Amino acid sequence: MKIGVASTNPAKTGAVSSALEQLGIQAELIEQAAESGVSAQPFSIEETRTGAINRAHHVLADFDAAIGLEGGVFELDGQLYLCNWGALVTSDGTVYVAGGAQVPLPMEIEKPLRAGEELGPVMDRYAQETGIRQHKGAIGILTAGNLNRVELFSQIVVLLFGQWQANSD
């Protein structure tokens, strides 16, 4: 089986690889940069979900399936929350989607996001680190390292493959 991964970000590609290993699925993974077709900083559940779907469609081409993963934020009761979505698109056009953990963002993070900045650089400043989106992600900072971005996206990929498997039986 050949699977297109719509990213070259190590956190996202590592998540797909980890999930497939956990599930015992043998597949050739081909990583490709892919446009999301949404804002650089998705600002709603819908936009984040759409970004994941668009990424998967963008790389599907000659693969058995393609996976798109997208992180974003959304507002609920005046508070911004982190959200993550994934999409798995099969060669026959079937689309499976799943979302991950949602946690509130501190006001120090919320203000620059509302001013138009992207979460990655904001988190780098907040945590005084570099390249957070490539490994632990915002979720790693917000959970004191108890869950990182690879683990979060890996859970989403497991949900996607589980739906595909359930539909294939």
Side-chain angles (χ1 to χ4, degrees):
M1 176 177 359
K2 285 177 74 172
I3 297 175
V5 181
S7 182
T8 58
N9 180 312
K12 293 179 179 182
T13 59
V16 175
S17 180
S18 174
L20 293 183
E21 183 178 325
Q22 176 186 338
L23 295 169
I25 296 173
Q26 297 291 318
E28 179 183 359
L29 300 179
I30 309 295
E31 303 167 4
Q32 297 179 5
E35 292 296 321
S36 67
V38 299
S39 304
Q41 177 56 68
F43 228 84
S44 69
I45 288 173
E46 295 82 3
E47 188 177 20
T48 308
R49 181 179 171 274
T50 297
I53 294 168
N54 289 347
R55 286 183 192 276
H57 276 296
H58 184 79
V59 302
L60 183 57
D62 297 319
F63 299 119
D64 298 301
I67 296 173
L69 299 167
E70 187 77 14
V73 298
F74 71 98
E75 185 171 349
L76 179 64
D77 294 333
Q79 168 89 45
L80 284 186
Y81 285 75
L82 178 70
C83 67
N84 298 272
W85 281 85
L88 185 152
V89 179
T90 63
S91 58
D92 69 4
T94 304
V95 177
Y96 300 97
V97 294
Q102 302 170 5
V103 295
L105 296 171
M107 188 56 68
E108 305 94 299
I109 296 170
E110 193 173 310
K111 285 181 181 178
L113 290 177
R114 290 187 187 277
E117 292 188 52
E118 286 186 52
L119 183 60
V122 171
M123 290 307 301
D124 284 354
R125 284 196 313 274
Y126 179 80
Q128 299 177 353
E129 296 182 31
T130 302
I132 287 174
R133 70 171 63 173
Q134 304 294 325
H135 48 93
K136 67 177 89 173
I139 196 72
I141 302 300
L142 299 173
T143 63
N146 287 298
L147 182 66
N148 66 43
R149 196 169 195 218
V150 173
E151 294 164 333
L152 174 63
F153 275 130
S154 182
Q155 292 173 354
I156 293 170
V157 174
V158 168
L159 294 171
L160 295 170
F161 272 92
Q163 291 176 78
W164 189 17
Q165 290 171 327
N167 194 48
S168 298
D169 292 340

